[in-house]
Amino acid sequence: MRRAERTDTGADELAQLQRTLGVELDPDLLLLALTHRSFAYENGGIPTNERLEFLGDSILGQAVTVRLFTDHPELDEGELAKRRASLVSSAALAEVARTIGIGRFIRLGRGETMTGGADKPSILADTVEAIIGAVFLSRGGEVATEFVLSLVAPLMDDPARFGAAMDPKTSLQEIAARRGSAAPAYSVSESGPDHNKHFVATVVVGDLVEASGEGSSKKQAEMAAALRAWTLLSDR
């Protein structure tokens, strides 16, 4: 897979991204939403997208919760919680970001660019949340809610994909069996201090596909890798 290698984003690209998103935003807020801390650090400590990410996370959770509650009166609290967790997970948001092509617009530092930061699930997911925050500040709560629901609609409307987002390792195992392949094999590496571990998982499904994912735990990284592999296989 070709990695996006982008360290800055110009006015033309911001306009292109806005057209893709389907909503008009304050250009300065959109640029801020695309500014990863690695870029900010290398450019004199300018503001990052982390505050917008915090805001967007709250708006995302509320919009998804209300929609699930309204559309599924037959589901109990436990099932609603599971579905919400799958829809707002880093793996699911990273899938949304890849579909839109957000990665190539993110402002990354040189180190993150060299290591494929534009396709890292955590960076993609955080950027989606930051953009949601920017939509809220630019257009208000109603438009932000509509925007969130448009992003997650493919997951909500596709039972197979929704199920994969809820339990990607089982879904990947099932699709591997249907393709007559060996069971998925996982390998995990870790880095960072004990209080801030970072895990990267790679899953290999026979000779069909190889995919990677990351997270703050081994389980999270394996789930991200599994969802990525399932998506690649499902799209073939």
Side-chain angles (χ1 to χ4, degrees):
M1 177 178 60
R2 183 177 177 274
R3 288 175 173 167
E5 297 183 357
R6 175 76 58 192
T7 58
D8 205 352
T9 307
D12 290 343
E13 290 161 312
L14 287 179
Q16 178 185 344
L17 178 56
Q18 289 204 48
R19 289 192 295 271
T20 301
L21 296 174
V23 61
E24 277 193 41
L25 303 177
D26 179 308
D28 291 336
L29 280 174
L30 180 55
L31 191 64
L32 179 59
L34 298 168
T35 304
H36 186 257
R37 63 177 176 269
S38 62
F39 182 91
Y41 176 78
E42 292 181 7
N43 288 272
I46 63 174
T48 75
N49 64 3
E50 291 176 350
R51 280 174 54 84
L52 284 177
E53 174 198 337
F54 171 80
L55 176 61
D57 176 69
S58 178
I59 296 161
L60 169 70
Q62 181 181 24
V64 169
T65 298
V66 172
R67 174 54 62 88
L68 288 172
F69 183 87
T70 303
D71 287 359
H72 297 284
E74 78 282 3
L75 299 180
D76 62 21
E77 183 270 344
E79 185 63 24
L80 288 171
K82 287 181 182 178
R83 294 199 179 198
R84 178 180 60 191
S86 72
L87 289 168
V88 303
S89 70
S90 292
L93 292 180
E95 183 180 349
V96 167
R98 292 188 182 104
T99 300
I100 297 173
I102 285 176
R104 70 188 188 90
F105 297 100
I106 302 174
R107 304 168 89 196
L108 297 169
R110 289 185 295 274
E112 282 291 355
T113 299
M114 293 298 292
T115 57
D119 195 55
K120 288 182 178 178
S122 60
I123 291 177
L124 289 172
D126 290 348
T127 303
V128 170
E129 290 179 338
I131 290 174
I132 293 169
V135 172
F136 177 84
L137 293 178
S138 296
R139 301 295 303 278
E142 185 175 344
V143 173
T145 296
E146 292 174 356
F147 178 68
V148 166
L149 296 177
S150 72
L151 292 180
V152 301
L155 287 174
M156 283 184 160
D157 296 340
D158 184 342
R161 191 170 295 272
F162 190 46
M166 292 182 67
D167 189 357
K169 294 183 72 172
T170 298
S171 296
L172 180 60
Q173 187 170 347
E174 289 172 349
I175 198 172
R178 290 198 299 270
R179 300 285 181 92
S181 174
Y186 295 86
S187 59
V188 181
S189 62
E190 65 179 80
S191 60
D194 289 341
H195 67 278
N196 188 28
K197 286 288 188 183
H198 180 76
F199 295 83
V200 177
T202 299
V203 60
V204 177
V205 184
D207 58 359
L208 296 179
V209 70
E210 178 177 332
S212 297
E214 62 176 277
S216 57
S217 68
K218 178 181 177 181
K219 178 180 179 180
Q220 188 180 76
E222 288 183 342
M223 289 178 66
L227 182 59
R228 182 61 176 152
W230 183 91
T231 301
L232 291 171
L233 284 175
S234 297
D235 290 342
R236 291 178 180 175

